[in-house]
Amino acid sequence: MPILNGLPSMSDDSRPQLPRHTLGQRIFHFLGSMDLAITLLLALAIASVIGTVLQQNQPYTDYLIKFGPFWFDVFESAGLYDVYSALWFLAILTLLVISTSTCVIRHTPSMIKDMWNLRTHVQEKSLRAMSHSHEWDVSSSVDDSVNKLATELSQQGFRVKQTAKEEGILISSMRGGMNRLGYIFTHVAIIVICLGGLLDSNLPLKFAEWQGRIKIETRDLATKDIPAISRLPVGSNAFRGSIHIPEGRSAEVAFLAMRDGYLVQELPFKLEVRDFRIEHYATGQPKSFETDLVLFDDELEQPLEVTISVNHPLFYKGYAIYQASFSDGGTGLSLEAWPLDSGAGNKPFSFETKVFENRQMHWGEESARLEVLSFRPFNINPDPKEGDPDNLRNFGPSFGFKLRSKTGEAREYLNYMLPVPRNGRDFYLSGVRSSQAEEFGYLYLPLDSEGGLTAFNQFLKRLYDLEIVESVAHQMMLETLASVEHKDDDLEQSLENSLISLVAMFMSGGFAEVATFIDTTLPEAERETLGPAYLSMLREMLARLYFSGFEQPESDADTEQQLTFLQDAVDAIGSFSRYGSPVYFSLTDFDHVEASGLQVTHAPGKSTVYLGCALLIIGVFLLFYLPQRRFWAIVKKKANGSNIVLAGMSNRNPREFDLFFEQISKQLKQVSGNS
Amino acid sequence: MSNRINALNIESDTALAQWSWRGLMAIAAVVLLQLYSSVFDSYEIGIVVLTAVSLALLGQNWSGFRRHVIAVTVLSFIALWLYGQDLSLGETDFFLSYILASQSAFMWMSALFVMATVAYFSGLLMRSSFTEKVASGLTWSAATMGMIGLMVRWRESYLISHDVGHIPVSNLYEVFILFAIITALLYLFYERRYQTRSLGGFVLLVITAAVAFQLWYTFEKQAHEIQPLVPALQSYWMKIHVPANFVGYGAFAMAAMIGVAYLLKSWCQTARPQGLLANVLPELSMMDDLMYKSIALGFAFFTVATVLGALWAAEAWGGYWSWDPKETWALIVWLNYAAWLHMRMTKGWHGRPMAWWAVIGLFVTLFAFLGVNMFLSGLHSYGTL
């Protein structure tokens, strides 16, 4: 049946159907219908949106917090946390593949025929009826005209065939028959890509899990303790796993994240990380992540040594090994614990620990767990200067940790190893926050002239020493009341007690606590006059406590320096209650060990998918840019020459074909010798 | 001997013009490959050859494009020569700071695009073909200034530091300029083929919107500063993936704006058949055809770009497909236009519903292009828009 409207008829709506009797035929018709195909394309598009709006494959606890228990369950059963491998999503994809396959099966035979068939059965009548047709007479003979026309059409790239008809000779010609191949290619490509994708999906794993052959591990176990049921042997299955390998260590497995747990995939080789490097631009942004990798495989004569980096993975035996991330590989840290509580004054306690190591710390009755989280060898942070607001500065190494109390509450800390200058003085910096959402607040511990914490520690010790505080308070009381004539024991005692308790309040809650005390206990009338008096008494007490620890200062310059130190120390101690840790950890040395985060993948369907992609691209261009154009000419004998009826059609770009037809006609008239 | 009648070009230039252009492109490619044979790997060589072939094909029958390429080349070389090795000349040298430094060139581009938009619409409403010709000239100049800006910016990035240097298609700011240029060139291509300038204002409107966004982005967020590439972007794939994508985006945007013109005209024809708009806009069937052409072109290039993206992902992200939001939205855009094309090619739909669909398609595309970066990668990337 010639299709003369120029449109490839893929839909049954555009041509009469054979009567459909059986259910099978109806189903076949339904599956191959254009309506279903377009519905599926749009349904797939809409379903895909869900997975981009809701972040996929997050830890289940995050979803639980976000949606609450009810919606969490609803969403989970709808598979929304991993939409793209949810059954209903796969069902849409499967339907799309079936629908496309049905189309391909149904139309390929006619398409192939149409690709080659020059349609030699057309009648003169139908040529005249076509929207593009011309008729003219020439003086040359029929054979001569036919020859000229056929030659010209061949030169224009048409395939030409001549057929003898009753009324004359019919020339049938076609150009761009491969357009039909475009249809076949694009549609087969979709099927091929989906099948290739299926090969690389985790469906087999899900199936094995459903059968009970494998079980997802959710516990945090050492690799060797993970039971066999959660281990996948080396095989042809597709996977995308990841593994962190510290420098100098090796691994023979990768971990596959599955819902709220993981599986262990055995690898047919061993990977050792020799070195991991990060290079930086001058601005501090990372420039490259590289790992020196050694791959051991018995089949290799000698181990394979390669350096991989982002965009430059290692491909080996169908496996691909990518540089995916990095983390700390257990950097060794030498720490000194400086007590900030009543233990102050003792020598700091030195110990060794590692990143990711936990350790129970005891101080007096109290105890807390030190959880070392991170280490950074340098910190390039903004450090605006006059005339250079974008100035960057390296603040040196830092380490992060949490202190977890017995009740499970934890604060997070970030301590810098090197002193940081501020207003011309040096401080040790320690950041603290009680949740990830907060910014760090910083404690500034002033350094002494030796560049250490000893002076601060000694001052702190004096503040905690009740005997010293009492004697300083007594001394101050005497000096304060020296000019007062009528003094009694009560006044003396009360002033001395006040001074002592002011210091105690300050030690437990800083100036804030003293202010609260003033606001809550003093009568309102006296608050204005007594408040500032209390504060200045406290300041004097602190200064006396500080200076009573020294011999007489040698020079004014020294005193100046000591006063600044005192101010800084008082500020630091005043913020202890917010700092919340009874100890300051100072980093004295480190042994930096990094871990390279590798992604190991096995995608047996990759070449299938690529084949599909190639078919798709070739097909799309054939479909759009290679119009199938047919020309027919019937040459009839006529007195003094011959009569030519020319007709043409194209299945694409009707607008351009108008012009094309005119041009070809002109050319043909010219060569045939229009009379 | 008869000339073969070619479907792609309605009018052929003289053989001399064609062959000298092809020769010029071949020579340029050979010289480039000779000069940089020591630093180019096989991919770079492939990209140079591909570029030369595309330019040769595009320019062989399109004299406007030939002039554009030559102007961009000559002026870019002048800028490079003025710069020498000193980036700071961009602020002190007269010609650089007022015309050719990338920032100045982009400002010229922006101004010229806005002027072109105004000129196209005035030409349309005043029925002045001279004004419309001026508008075409302005559009060509804008595209040329934009392209010079990109070329010079490429060089500037190397002047900052050798390791910072990269092709300027690496962030939102740079691709916005690419979008404006490509959309303009696509429009100019069809303007010549369909011999109508009356759609210029509509297409230029979307370019003006892009330019406005880009200006806001420059002044508000200092986005024009050249940033070094993050490791994930250091790949030759970027050079082909991004431009291919933007041919797609540009074509979809053009189709949508033609859709707007179509709807306007079809509405005016029923509401006010004697009105100005109903008479100055091209006939509906032509706009319908142009819309289809545009979407077909966009779809073809978007397919190529998505496949290239998958190939790149297989090298950088550990797999050719990861259902990452950007990937998924590319798929959504693709599915949307695939459905559009099926409707049109096999169900024979055309006219208003398809015009509406093309307009809606622009919003889907816009979300894939901008929205994903703004809303879907969490709070962090929103802040760094």
Side-chain angles (χ1 to χ4, degrees):
Chain A
M1 184 189 70
I3 304 164
L4 288 182
N5 63 358
L7 289 168
S9 115
M10 289 171 218
S11 123
D12 286 350
D13 310 317
S14 63
R15 69 169 167 185
Q17 260 300 295
L18 298 167
R20 296 190 297 272
H21 294 300
T22 66
L23 181 66
Q25 277 171 327
R26 281 179 197 214
I27 291 176
F28 188 69
H29 170 249
F30 168 72
L31 287 176
S33 74
M34 186 50 51
D35 292 332
L36 177 70
I38 292 175
T39 311
L40 287 172
L41 286 177
L42 295 178
L44 194 62
I46 292 163
S48 301
V49 175
I50 299 174
T52 64
V53 175
L54 178 61
Q55 267 201 318
Q56 300 286 289
N57 295 309
Q58 299 294 298
Y60 272 30
T61 44
D62 289 9
Y63 292 125
L64 194 57
I65 293 167
K66 208 165 169 184
F67 302 121
F70 175 74
W71 289 111
F72 172 81
D73 285 340
V74 173
F75 289 172
E76 195 199 357
S77 48
L80 295 194
Y81 306 138
D82 192 4
V83 170
Y84 307 114
S85 49
L87 277 180
W88 59 269
F89 189 85
L90 294 173
I92 298 179
L93 266 180
T94 314
L95 255 179
L96 185 69
V97 170
I98 291 173
S99 154
T100 314
S101 308
T102 316
C103 278
V104 169
I105 291 168
R106 211 163 62 183
H107 297 299
T108 299
S110 62
M111 291 278 174
I112 290 178
K113 219 172 123 195
D114 193 40
M115 218 149 68
W116 302 110
N117 189 349
L118 287 173
R119 294 193 195 158
T120 51
H121 297 297
V122 290
Q123 305 290 322
E124 190 186 341
K125 200 173 54 180
S126 55
L127 291 191
R128 285 180 195 280
M130 286 168 77
S131 54
H132 294 89
S133 74
H134 267 306
E135 183 176 2
W136 71 94
D137 293 336
V138 290
S139 50
S140 46
S141 69
V142 170
D143 285 349
D144 201 19
S145 304
V146 166
N147 266 340
K148 281 174 180 164
L149 290 176
T151 315
E152 177 59 24
L153 282 167
S154 301
Q155 268 183 1
Q156 292 293 344
F158 283 81
R159 220 152 48 76
V160 185
K161 192 175 176 186
Q162 300 174 17
T163 334
K165 295 267 177 185
E166 278 170 32
E167 60 265 47
I169 293 180
L170 171 74
I171 303 173
S172 313
S173 66
M174 176 173 63
R175 171 168 143 183
M178 291 301 125
N179 177 279
R180 297 305 195 196
L181 206 57
Y183 164 82
I184 299 174
F185 274 14
T186 42
H187 291 77
V188 168
I190 300 303
I191 303 167
V192 170
I193 290 172
C194 288
L195 289 181
L198 182 71
L199 285 179
D200 290 345
S201 74
N202 64 1
L203 271 189
L205 280 185
K206 294 208 150 183
F207 186 65
E209 191 198 352
W210 177 72
Q211 283 184 315
R213 283 187 288 126
I214 55 172
K215 189 167 165 281
I216 291 173
E217 182 58 71
T218 52
R219 293 165 296 174
D220 196 7
L221 295 177
T223 309
K224 60 177 173 31
D225 299 330
I226 295 166
I229 195 159
S230 302
R231 286 173 174 269
L232 305 171
V234 174
S236 60
N237 62 308
F239 65 84
R240 273 169 102 160
S242 57
I243 176 92
H244 277 259
I245 309 177
E247 289 168 319
R249 306 273 287 279
S250 60
E252 286 172 281
V253 297
F255 295 89
L256 320 185
M258 298 285 286
R259 296 202 304 276
D260 52 345
Y262 59 89
L263 292 169
V264 175
Q265 170 70 50
E266 316 257 356
L267 301 176
F269 44 76
K270 187 167 86 170
L271 291 171
E272 184 188 311
V273 170
R274 286 269 160 87
D275 189 25
F276 171 79
R277 289 179 301 277
I278 308 179
E279 280 176 44
H280 293 84
Y281 292 107
T283 51
Q285 286 138 297
K287 177 168 142 188
S288 75
F289 303 103
E290 287 181 352
T291 300
D292 290 340
L293 208 60
V294 191
L295 186 146
F296 298 91
D297 184 352
D298 293 340
E299 289 175 26
L300 289 171
E301 280 184 15
Q302 54 184 23
L304 194 62
E305 289 187 36
V306 273
T307 300
I308 62 165
S309 60
V310 180
N311 272 313
H312 300 282
L314 164 66
F315 294 102
Y316 179 75
K317 277 189 176 176
Y319 291 82
I321 298 144
Y322 299 90
Q323 178 72 65
S325 64
F326 66 94
S327 61
D328 199 283
T331 296
L333 304 175
S334 304
L335 300 182
E336 275 181 355
W338 292 83
L340 303 178
D341 59 2
S342 53
N346 297 331
K347 281 194 79 168
F349 166 59
S350 302
F351 63 100
E352 305 282 322
T353 184
K354 277 183 183 164
V355 173
F356 302 132
E357 209 170 67
N358 298 336
R359 146 201 280 271
Q360 204 65 33
M361 306 286 294
H362 298 273
W363 32 79
E365 304 278 290
E366 296 289 309
S367 76
R369 193 165 68 159
L370 170 68
E371 305 172 0
V372 185
L373 301 173
S374 63
F375 171 79
R376 288 172 64 97
F378 57 87
N379 291 274
I380 293 176
N381 295 338
D383 183 24
K385 276 184 184 163
E386 241 176 87
D388 187 8
D390 300 328
N391 186 45
L392 297 172
R393 206 180 98 90
N394 183 0
F395 283 77
S398 67
F399 75 109
F401 59 96
K402 277 185 176 173
L403 276 178
R404 195 175 294 281
S405 69
K406 277 180 230 164
T407 55
E409 282 169 276
R411 283 182 192 226
E412 188 186 340
Y413 296 88
L414 179 70
N415 287 11
Y416 287 84
M417 179 183 190
L418 302 175
V420 174
R422 191 198 193 201
N423 303 333
R425 279 113 62 199
D426 283 345
F427 296 88
Y428 278 120
L429 220 60
S430 174
V432 60
R433 62 180 175 185
S434 37
S435 83
Q436 292 249 315
E438 291 173 27
E439 294 272 323
F440 277 108
Y442 286 94
L443 175 72
Y444 287 82
L445 295 180
L447 268 64
D448 54 28
S449 48
E450 315 279 302
L453 284 173
T454 315
F456 181 76
N457 192 35
Q458 287 306 314
F459 176 43
L460 199 55
K461 180 189 173 186
R462 298 178 67 77
L463 292 179
Y464 281 117
D465 190 326
L466 198 57
E467 258 176 54
I468 298 178
V469 173
E470 278 173 359
S471 87
V472 170
H474 187 70
Q475 188 66 32
M476 181 171 158
M477 178 272 291
L478 290 180
E479 286 176 26
T480 313
L481 298 182
S483 53
V484 180
E485 284 179 15
H486 304 287
K487 48 195 162 191
D488 50 43
D489 282 356
D490 277 358
L491 180 61
E492 285 182 359
Q493 200 54 50
S494 125
L495 180 57
E496 195 175 320
N497 285 345
S498 295
L499 291 173
I500 293 166
S501 67
L502 276 173
V503 172
M505 271 187 278
F506 175 71
M507 294 309 288
S508 81
F511 286 111
E513 186 157 326
V514 178
T516 320
F517 166 78
I518 292 168
D519 283 350
T520 49
T521 52
L522 291 188
E524 210 175 328
E526 293 173 31
R527 217 176 283 165
E528 285 224 341
T529 47
L530 276 182
Y534 271 32
L535 285 176
S536 62
M537 278 196 294
L538 170 59
R539 287 190 185 281
E540 183 165 354
M541 268 301 287
L542 294 171
R544 280 166 178 267
L545 278 160
Y546 175 65
F547 283 106
S548 64
F550 296 105
E551 306 288 313
Q552 281 304 305
E554 283 164 20
S555 71
D556 289 352
D558 278 352
T559 321
E560 183 75 15
Q561 210 178 355
Q562 284 171 340
L563 277 173
T564 350
F565 181 88
L566 169 66
Q567 186 56 48
D568 291 336
V570 165
D571 285 347
I573 296 164
S575 56
F576 273 3
S577 59
R578 273 175 289 146
Y579 187 61
S581 163
V583 67
Y584 166 75
F585 292 106
S586 142
L587 177 62
T588 54
D589 200 6
F590 62 87
D591 174 25
H592 192 203
V593 181
E594 281 167 299
S596 180
L598 304 177
Q599 191 170 71
V600 186
T601 69
H602 189 227
K606 190 161 113 171
S607 36
T608 312
V609 171
Y610 285 3
L611 173 74
C613 290
L615 282 177
L616 183 64
I617 291 177
I618 297 170
V620 163
F621 277 92
L622 285 179
L623 211 49
F624 292 151
Y625 296 108
L626 188 72
Q628 186 183 37
R629 290 169 171 173
R630 294 175 180 277
F631 276 84
W632 293 270
I634 283 188
V635 185
K636 285 178 300 187
K637 191 168 168 43
K638 205 185 160 196
N640 303 330
S642 39
N643 166 268
I644 301 173
V645 177
L646 176 79
M649 61 173 245
S650 167
N651 71 340
R652 288 277 176 282
N653 299 342
R655 188 164 269 280
E656 251 158 47
F657 187 68
D658 292 347
L659 198 73
F660 184 77
F661 183 76
E662 287 313 314
Q663 284 175 330
I664 290 275
S665 310
K666 212 173 108 194
Q667 200 95 14
L668 290 176
K669 281 179 190 172
Q670 230 167 44
V671 295
S672 63
N674 196 6
S675 60
Chain B
M1 200 192 94
S2 60
N3 265 334
R4 174 153 177 182
I5 296 162
N6 198 320
L8 195 71
N9 297 291
I10 48 164
E11 50 194 285
S12 300
D13 278 346
T14 61
L16 177 70
Q18 287 184 335
W19 281 107
S20 33
W21 177 249
R22 290 172 198 152
L24 195 64
M25 289 302 106
I27 292 168
V30 169
V31 168
L32 210 59
L33 293 177
Q34 278 295 322
L35 271 177
Y36 295 101
S37 57
S38 58
V39 282
F40 278 178
D41 57 19
S42 50
Y43 302 104
E44 307 279 2
I45 293 169
I47 291 169
V48 169
V49 171
L50 203 78
T51 311
V53 171
S54 325
L55 291 180
L57 286 177
L58 273 173
Q60 58 183 357
N61 288 314
W62 189 9
S63 56
F65 187 73
R66 291 201 292 268
R67 283 194 290 274
H68 169 74
V69 173
I70 291 169
V72 168
T73 313
V74 170
L75 288 168
S76 301
F77 272 118
I78 291 177
L80 262 51
W81 172 72
L82 287 172
Y83 260 125
Q85 297 295 325
D86 186 0
L87 184 61
S88 64
L89 283 175
E91 281 164 23
T92 51
D93 183 90
F94 176 80
F95 286 106
L96 286 177
S97 62
Y98 284 100
I99 304 173
L100 291 176
S102 66
Q103 253 346 87
S104 323
F106 293 147
M107 288 303 148
W108 278 108
M109 177 197 81
S110 309
L112 287 165
F113 270 135
V114 174
M115 282 153 66
T117 314
V118 174
Y120 268 123
F121 276 122
S122 350
L124 181 72
L125 299 176
M126 299 186 314
R127 301 191 180 192
S128 151
S129 68
F130 173 75
T131 316
E132 287 188 329
K133 267 185 197 161
V134 170
S136 286
L138 287 169
T139 312
W140 272 115
S141 320
T144 305
M145 282 320 281
M147 203 49 123
I148 292 169
L150 284 182
M151 293 294 160
V152 175
R153 187 177 168 93
W154 198 346
R155 176 63 185 166
E156 285 169 350
S157 69
Y158 278 91
L159 288 179
I160 289 178
S161 157
H162 184 73
D163 60 4
V164 172
H166 61 269
I167 186 170
V169 293
S170 70
N171 60 29
L172 210 52
Y173 176 81
E174 291 166 344
V175 297
F176 251 94
I177 292 160
L178 187 69
F179 171 79
I181 297 170
I182 287 182
T183 312
L185 289 177
L186 282 173
Y187 165 72
L188 288 167
F189 178 78
Y190 283 108
E191 175 182 280
R192 176 178 145 281
R193 274 197 76 180
Y194 282 71
Q195 296 293 310
T196 173
R197 295 196 160 94
S198 45
L199 290 170
F202 292 90
V203 179
L204 267 276
L205 213 52
V206 80
I207 297 180
T208 303
V211 162
F213 175 85
Q214 182 235 325
L215 286 177
W216 168 81
Y217 202 31
T218 306
F219 291 116
E220 192 68 17
K221 308 257 176 171
Q222 301 297 305
H224 60 279
E225 283 168 22
I226 296 174
Q227 296 291 336
L229 281 186
V230 296
L233 290 181
Q234 294 164 9
S235 170
Y236 55 88
W237 288 112
M238 190 171 79
K239 291 195 179 84
I240 44 180
H241 170 66
V242 179
N245 240 319
F246 277 84
V247 175
Y249 286 144
F252 293 150
M254 190 166 93
M257 294 318 284
I258 294 166
V260 170
Y262 185 100
L263 293 169
L264 216 58
K265 165 131 181 169
S266 86
W267 175 73
C268 283
Q269 271 184 342
T270 43
R272 272 184 296 160
Q274 300 311 314
L276 185 62
L277 268 180
N279 291 306
V280 292
L281 284 171
E283 52 176 310
L284 288 177
S285 70
M286 191 206 115
M287 287 197 273
D288 191 65
D289 189 52
L290 192 51
M291 203 158 64
Y292 158 75
K293 284 272 174 52
S294 206
I295 285 186
L297 179 79
F299 186 77
F301 273 87
F302 202 75
T303 307
V304 172
T306 309
V307 169
L308 289 174
L311 293 176
W312 187 3
E315 252 178 46
W317 291 348
Y320 50 82
W321 196 260
S322 319
W323 293 106
D324 151 90
K326 195 85 180 174
E327 277 178 351
T328 311
W329 272 93
L331 176 71
I332 292 166
V333 169
W334 191 87
L335 288 169
N336 175 50
Y337 286 109
W340 193 96
L341 286 165
H342 275 92
M343 273 302 197
R344 158 99 196 195
M345 286 162 75
T346 67
K347 296 216 76 165
W349 278 32
H350 59 275
R352 279 209 213 190
M354 296 311 269
W356 273 113
W357 196 344
V359 175
I360 293 165
L362 178 64
F363 288 95
V364 179
T365 309
L366 195 66
F367 193 84
F369 168 26
L370 260 186
V372 172
N373 299 26
M374 283 166 68
F375 304 116
L376 291 187
S377 317
L379 287 166
H380 180 76
S381 66
Y382 177 62
T384 59
L385 167 77

